[in-house]
Amino acid sequence: RGCVDTSMLPSRDWPLLGLLFARTSAGSVEVRVATQLAVPPADARAAWLDYAWARGGGLPGTATLLEDGGQSRTLLPVFLKERLVATQAESEIGYSVTDAGPALADVVPGSHSAVVSFSPRRDGTEMVWEVEFETRARRDFWAAFTRTSVGEVSSNLASFVQPEREFTLSARLAGSPEAAVGAWLQCLDDGDLGVPMPPPVVVSRGDESRAGYERLILPPGLRERVTRVERTALEYTVLNPAWRTCYPAHTHRGEVAFAPCEDAGGGACTRMVWRVCVRPQRYGRWAVELLTTLIVPAFARNLAARRASDEGQEVDAGVEWCWS
């Protein structure tokens, strides 16, 4: 079964299709959308530039081309060109449409202006996004379209700045921490994670320590990279988490640490602590938590069995995990 992008499912916005073909007159469009963000104003402003401006704000099927050092952008596939403009306050961001493109021919050239302001609140920031422009026709459609698209990006941004969810797992492994690091990396390379998955395609072997190792899982096209490898620890990240890759998160990073311990029989073993930090996308928390809770413990049990076999030593893995 493939993944479902909930942003493409039917919603209350289907009436837009009726407005598109309705005979409505020209006129002014004024849209104001207020959204609460769970970060301070400076962080909210930076997140808007990074996520909403530079990356398209999570609108389905939208790609962004940046120009002039990020001051201008083109939204594809509609070829809408926009440019950042100066505002009177540092807490605001202004932009305007410089070329509406063929799809937005109803918009009067030079009439568009937008300001996004960020005001401190007790629990973070109130972001107010205001857009104004003139239309030659279909004013009602363009008002509804703008309100919907600005609202979607604002809601996506709110999820983007949410605190990370943290998954922590602990397990005991036979042998030394150094051997456990090597076995963990070998399991990743083999695709031997304890759950049925397609064999990975190795994109890069990385350096001598295996930092920079990258693999591609087909399907769904998920890319994972080991970012740091030390004697008793490693870190990795998912490069392209999204609905289309069946892992609907904004970010995913993992840290795995290995330390010596003793098993119940007094023998030497290794304590593995695996921490996953993830920011789910809108509507994606259930999928992210389900997949993480399925895959990481299965990987840990499989790794424990491999280390027990390699060392000829039975160790109770004692796999435990929790979300926080």
Side-chain angles (χ1 to χ4, degrees):
R1 296 183 180 179
C3 298
V4 177
D5 186 342
T6 59
S7 63
M8 300 296 290
L9 294 177
S11 72
R12 66 182 185 277
D13 301 322
W14 277 108
L16 281 173
L17 294 177
L19 292 175
L20 177 61
F21 297 105
R23 293 186 176 183
T24 57
S25 61
S28 300
V29 170
E30 296 181 4
V31 169
R32 182 183 187 274
V33 175
T35 307
Q36 301 302 311
L37 303 178
V39 291
D43 294 341
R45 186 181 188 279
W48 189 94
L49 289 169
D50 172 38
Y51 182 72
W53 178 260
R55 292 194 264 166
L59 288 176
T62 301
T64 306
L65 299 178
L66 296 178
E67 302 172 286
D68 302 327
Q71 292 298 299
S72 300
R73 71 174 185 175
T74 301
L75 292 178
L76 301 177
V78 296
F79 291 95
L80 175 69
K81 295 182 181 293
E82 298 174 320
R83 182 171 181 81
L84 295 174
V85 299
T87 59
Q88 295 181 347
E90 292 186 2
S91 60
E92 296 178 346
I93 298 173
Y95 69 95
S96 63
V97 172
T98 56
D99 185 347
L104 282 74
D106 290 338
V107 177
V108 175
S111 68
H112 181 280
S113 66
V115 174
V116 188
S117 62
F118 305 88
S119 302
R121 294 292 182 267
R122 185 179 62 179
D123 54 351
T125 298
E126 181 183 50
M127 179 183 72
V128 177
W129 193 332
E130 298 175 286
V131 182
E132 298 180 2
F133 57 90
E134 298 289 331
T135 63
R136 298 187 179 100
R138 286 180 283 270
R139 182 188 65 84
D140 291 346
F141 167 77
W142 291 114
F145 177 85
T146 303
R147 188 177 301 108
T148 298
S149 58
V150 169
E152 283 295 303
V153 174
S154 297
S155 296
N156 291 341
L157 180 63
S159 73
F160 179 76
V161 300
Q162 283 292 317
E164 291 178 320
R165 295 277 296 156
E166 185 173 307
F167 174 89
T168 303
L169 174 145
S170 65
R172 289 185 296 273
L173 311 173
S176 68
E178 294 83 358
V181 170
W184 192 99
L185 292 167
Q186 192 59 52
C187 282
L188 190 71
D189 194 24
D190 296 342
D192 187 14
L193 309 185
V195 293
M197 296 183 72
V201 176
V202 177
V203 177
S204 172
R205 288 288 176 185
D207 61 18
E208 185 176 346
S209 73
R210 303 299 292 278
Y213 174 90
E214 183 178 330
R215 70 177 197 160
L216 172 67
I217 302 172
L218 290 173
L222 193 72
R223 294 170 57 200
E224 298 173 318
R225 177 183 293 167
V226 177
T227 56
R228 180 177 67 91
V229 179
E230 297 183 354
R231 190 171 63 89
T232 60
L234 60 88
E235 296 178 358
Y236 69 95
T237 187
V238 176
L239 298 176
N240 60 340
W243 281 102
R244 67 179 180 276
T245 57
C246 294
Y247 197 83
H250 294 292
T251 58
H252 172 114
R253 59 186 178 88
E255 303 170 355
V256 193
F258 304 87
C261 66
E262 291 186 358
D263 66 15
C269 68
T270 292
R271 167 72 64 182
M272 177 180 70
V273 177
W274 188 335
R275 191 163 67 100
V276 176
C277 298
V278 62
R279 285 186 296 167
Q281 293 186 10
R282 287 173 68 201
Y283 315 120
R285 176 172 166 175
W286 67 271
V288 165
E289 293 191 359
L290 175 64
L291 290 169
T292 304
T293 303
L294 172 67
I295 294 172
V296 174
F299 189 130
R301 293 190 185 95
N302 196 58
L303 176 63
R306 178 178 287 205
R307 292 301 300 133
S309 176
D310 290 345
E311 297 290 331
Q313 174 188 354
E314 289 297 327
V315 173
D316 178 12
V319 177
E320 298 178 347
W321 70 87
C322 67
W323 282 97
S324 61

